[in-house]
Amino acid sequence: MIQDLFKKVVSHSKKYGFIFQSSEIYDGLSAVYDYGPYGVELKNNIKDYWFKSMVRMHENIVGIDSAIFMHPKTWKASGHVDAFNDPLIDNKDSKKRYRADVLVEDYIAKIEAKINKEIAKGRKRFGDEFNEEEFRATHPRVKANLEKIADINKRMSESLSSGKLEDLKALIEELGISDPISGSKNWTEVRQFNLMFNTQLGNISGEEGKLYLRPETAQGIFVNFLNVQKTTRQKIPFGIAQIGKAFRNEIVARQFIFRMREFEQMEMQYFVRPGEEMKWYDYWKTHRMKWHKSLGTSDDKLRYHDHENLAHYANAAVDIEFEFPFGFKELEGIHSRTDFDLKSHSELSGKKLQYFDPEINENYIPYVVETSIGVDRMFLAVMSNAYTEEMVPDASGKESERIVLKIPAALAPIKATVLPLVKNKEELTAKAKAVFNKLKPFVNTQYDEKDAIGRRYRRQDAIGTPFCITVDFDTLEDDTVTVRERDSLKQERMHIDELASYIKKHTDLSTLLTKLAD
Ligand code: GAP
């Protein structure tokens, strides 16, 4: 049922011009996607909302747009050359390549499914008396399976943190994990696979000229820390925000735009006084959750997930998870990155990346709290949250099914569409075009005269247009139109002079930004 929703979102995205497989005429390129006419509008609106919520709403946050290519030493200093790896395993029979940790996680998911089945049975049997916590702690099969999961997780995490990958291979063999495609258990050794794509500078041969496509936008911010601080005269605490492409040679790239090889990130690094990082970490944790909830996402679809195994640079990390159609998964990460990056760049570049704090009369390397969210993942969250199938009355009052994208109005690709009631009446189409021309400088507007009015409404519902404006014979008399609201289906008569301010008032980004004020 839930997987069903996922399939529907994927096919709807293609059918209505939101997302296409990259190079589709050549059978596509795995885990790379193109955004279509409505997709690019929605994506730009998501980015706009994020950027304004950071830069416009915080007078101590500024934006940058750094290059994708960076000096190769950047990635040595950041740790990506040595440690940005996934454990890879090949199946010798099927020649398929897998992430060893994902094979184990999939195995764990199967045990979890068994546990959930037992819990569902228990709930059915005991009704209101059912206490899930007690059931988990006492039911013999559930208890044994929970212990098994804990043991597998512990062994996997020890093997990954110690680098003893032979232990991970032994675990896979012991659990009897087979290739999901061929069923074969004929595995190679587990080895580390660096996720960075690389290329070569034209004028320098060999290792010297080796360049990487950035795997995160954050490093472009760190190397510009002094440039930005000096030119904007920011005092700590202050932040630098950036939106841009990132590239990762993912071994397992799946779930549509959830895990891609070319994607976009929206990252903000907040530079703080050492010792104050936990205060700011808590601030950003709360503030970012507020941003997600400002979009109307229900509380039960969002949750925090604290990291148990911290990355080498972090002293605290949490994910904001969203309930995608395939379960709760990471949407955004908030990391307290200590002074790791600035310190490391200082050491390798020989440039002092420090700040003189006039309030305490001290020079120091600032600590950093980072918020990092994937644009494409956010796009998928918005689409899955918005996709709705429901029964509604049509023009004749008869109930019929419609598919509607209930995208928050401020993010909707098209804000309003102007529709002449019928197509073949010159006075009506001329008037409707005049209304369209009047509106388009103010809000993203479409004009549509093809097909019966009911079908045109459905087409606009399917792309999430909040307002449909119908021009009819009365309009020719009194300059009023009918404005139909997407979700409530309420229709209101309005003078055409009021339209622009009405639509703007209900679809402007400010409707979201005002919810964020601290
Ligand atoms: N600078 C920190 C950083 O890059 P991350 O957890 O690796 O942290 C941050 O990535 C966010 O970027 C994730 O929460 C996710 O939204 C997005 N992201 C990461 N890898 C992705 C991929 N392969 N495809 C799409 N989005 C991805």
Side-chain angles (χ1 to χ4, degrees), residues 160 475 511:
L160 291 175
T475 315
T511 59

Side-chain angles (χ1 to χ4, degrees), residues 298-490:
S298 64
D299 287 5
D300 59 346
K301 283 196 163 281
L302 289 161
R303 70 180 187 196
Y304 291 117
H305 172 78
D306 284 309
H307 286 211
E308 281 129 35
N309 300 319
L310 293 174
H312 57 285
Y313 53 74
N315 63 2
V318 66
D319 291 338
I320 292 180
E321 293 188 338
F322 171 77
E323 192 177 22
F324 287 95
F326 37 83
F328 270 101
K329 298 270 176 220
E330 173 186 347
L331 173 59
E332 167 157 12
I334 295 144
H335 314 121
S336 172
R337 290 182 78 123
T338 68
D339 59 355
F340 173 83
D341 301 87
L342 288 182
K343 201 169 173 182
S344 200
H345 286 304
S346 290
E347 281 164 14
L348 208 64
S349 67
K351 308 282 183 324
K352 268 191 185 164
L353 299 179
Q354 288 193 344
Y355 172 77
F356 176 73
D357 192 331
E359 279 178 34
I360 52 171
N361 216 15
E362 244 181 62
N363 256 317
Y364 55 76
I365 299 180
Y367 269 44
V368 171
V369 176
E370 166 186 77
T371 73
S372 174
I373 174 169
V375 177
D376 315 86
R377 241 176 237 194
M378 187 61 206
F379 188 108
L380 183 56
V382 171
M383 288 293 276
S384 351
N385 214 23
Y387 183 93
T388 311
E389 289 172 2
E390 60 185 16
M391 297 300 286
V392 288
D394 62 19
S396 66
K398 224 173 76 201
E399 291 268 310
S400 66
E401 195 187 53
R402 72 163 179 169
I403 295 175
V404 51
L405 289 185
K406 295 189 174 178
I407 299 173
L411 300 186
I414 305 296
K415 306 300 187 205
T417 295
V418 181
L419 319 157
L421 186 62
V422 286
K423 180 183 169 182
N424 38 13
K425 283 276 182 273
E426 175 61 27
E427 324 92 274
L428 269 195
T429 51
K431 187 74 181 171
K433 279 182 189 156
V435 173
F436 167 63
N437 286 332
K438 203 171 154 83
L439 260 185
K440 68 183 181 190
F442 300 97
V443 285
N444 202 0
T445 314
Q446 265 193 353
Y447 172 81
D448 187 7
E449 60 175 31
K450 200 167 165 269
D451 298 325
I453 191 83
R455 289 185 70 172
R456 281 182 275 162
Y457 281 155
R458 291 291 185 269
R459 202 154 53 221
Q460 293 304 321
D461 289 343
I463 59 165
T465 306
F467 295 104
C468 283
I469 298 161
T470 308
V471 171
D472 55 25
F473 293 102
D474 288 342
T475 315
L476 304 177
E477 305 294 320
D478 60 8
D479 268 355
T480 65
V481 289
T482 301
V483 179
R484 168 197 184 260
E485 199 274 328
R486 180 194 68 196
D487 299 347
S488 64
L489 296 175
K490 269 199 198 127

Side-chain angles (χ1 to χ4, degrees), residues 153-429:
N153 270 328
K154 184 165 170 274
R155 286 177 60 187
M156 180 158 76
S157 139
E158 276 170 8
S159 154
L160 291 175
S161 54
S162 67
K164 285 193 186 156
L165 296 180
E166 60 277 19
D167 292 352
L168 189 52
K169 161 110 191 264
L171 182 64
I172 288 173
E173 283 177 340
E174 214 176 286
L175 298 174
I177 296 175
S178 56
D179 181 334
I181 294 174
S182 66
S184 152
K185 293 180 186 166
N186 194 4
W187 296 110
T188 61
E189 294 307 310
V190 178
R191 58 198 188 284
Q192 293 291 16
F193 177 78
N194 193 287
L195 298 185
M196 281 195 295
F197 282 101
N198 59 57
T199 183
Q200 193 74 27
L201 268 179
N203 60 341
I204 304 174
S205 66
E207 270 302 297
E208 289 285 288
K210 191 168 173 184
L211 279 187
Y212 297 97
L213 295 189
R214 68 180 176 199
E216 63 172 13
T217 61
Q219 298 305 323
I221 295 180
F222 290 123
V223 301
N224 276 300
F225 163 70
L226 273 190
N227 285 338
V228 174
Q229 192 270 322
K230 293 222 157 92
T231 50
T232 57
R233 295 182 299 136
Q234 289 287 347
K235 289 201 173 72
I236 269 179
F238 78 94
I240 305 178
Q242 144 152 270
I243 300 176
K245 289 266 182 173
F247 304 83
R248 296 184 187 177
N249 199 357
E250 301 280 358
I251 302 167
V252 183
R254 58 182 182 188
Q255 286 152 336
F256 193 36
I257 54 170
F258 181 81
R259 195 173 299 285
M260 303 157 86
R261 297 202 165 99
E262 173 181 339
F263 58 103
E264 239 176 315
Q265 287 186 315
M266 307 188 278
E267 299 202 292
M268 194 279 301
Q269 312 294 322
Y270 202 67
F271 300 91
V272 306
R273 201 180 272 171
E276 293 191 353
E277 70 274 18
M278 290 320 290
K279 178 177 94 183
W280 290 112
Y281 173 74
D282 288 340
Y283 169 84
W284 282 108
K285 206 174 139 176
T286 311
H287 193 77
R288 290 303 303 150
M289 188 58 104
K290 201 166 165 184
W291 186 89
H292 288 285
K293 292 198 174 162
S294 71
L295 294 168
T297 310
S298 64
D299 287 5
D300 59 346
K301 283 196 163 281
L302 289 161
R303 70 180 187 196
Y304 291 117
H305 172 78
D306 284 309
H307 286 211
E308 281 129 35
N309 300 319
L310 293 174
H312 57 285
Y313 53 74
N315 63 2
V318 66
D319 291 338
I320 292 180
E321 293 188 338
F322 171 77
E323 192 177 22
F324 287 95
F326 37 83
F328 270 101
K329 298 270 176 220
E330 173 186 347
L331 173 59
E332 167 157 12
I334 295 144
H335 314 121
S336 172
R337 290 182 78 123
T338 68
D339 59 355
F340 173 83
D341 301 87
L342 288 182
K343 201 169 173 182
S344 200
H345 286 304
S346 290
E347 281 164 14
L348 208 64
S349 67
K351 308 282 183 324
K352 268 191 185 164
L353 299 179
Q354 288 193 344
Y355 172 77
F356 176 73
D357 192 331
E359 279 178 34
I360 52 171
N361 216 15
E362 244 181 62
N363 256 317
Y364 55 76
I365 299 180
Y367 269 44
V368 171
V369 176
E370 166 186 77
T371 73
S372 174
I373 174 169
V375 177
D376 315 86
R377 241 176 237 194
M378 187 61 206
F379 188 108
L380 183 56
V382 171
M383 288 293 276
S384 351
N385 214 23
Y387 183 93
T388 311
E389 289 172 2
E390 60 185 16
M391 297 300 286
V392 288
D394 62 19
S396 66
K398 224 173 76 201
E399 291 268 310
S400 66
E401 195 187 53
R402 72 163 179 169
I403 295 175
V404 51
L405 289 185
K406 295 189 174 178
I407 299 173
L411 300 186
I414 305 296
K415 306 300 187 205
T417 295
V418 181
L419 319 157
L421 186 62
V422 286
K423 180 183 169 182
N424 38 13
K425 283 276 182 273
E426 175 61 27
E427 324 92 274
L428 269 195
T429 51

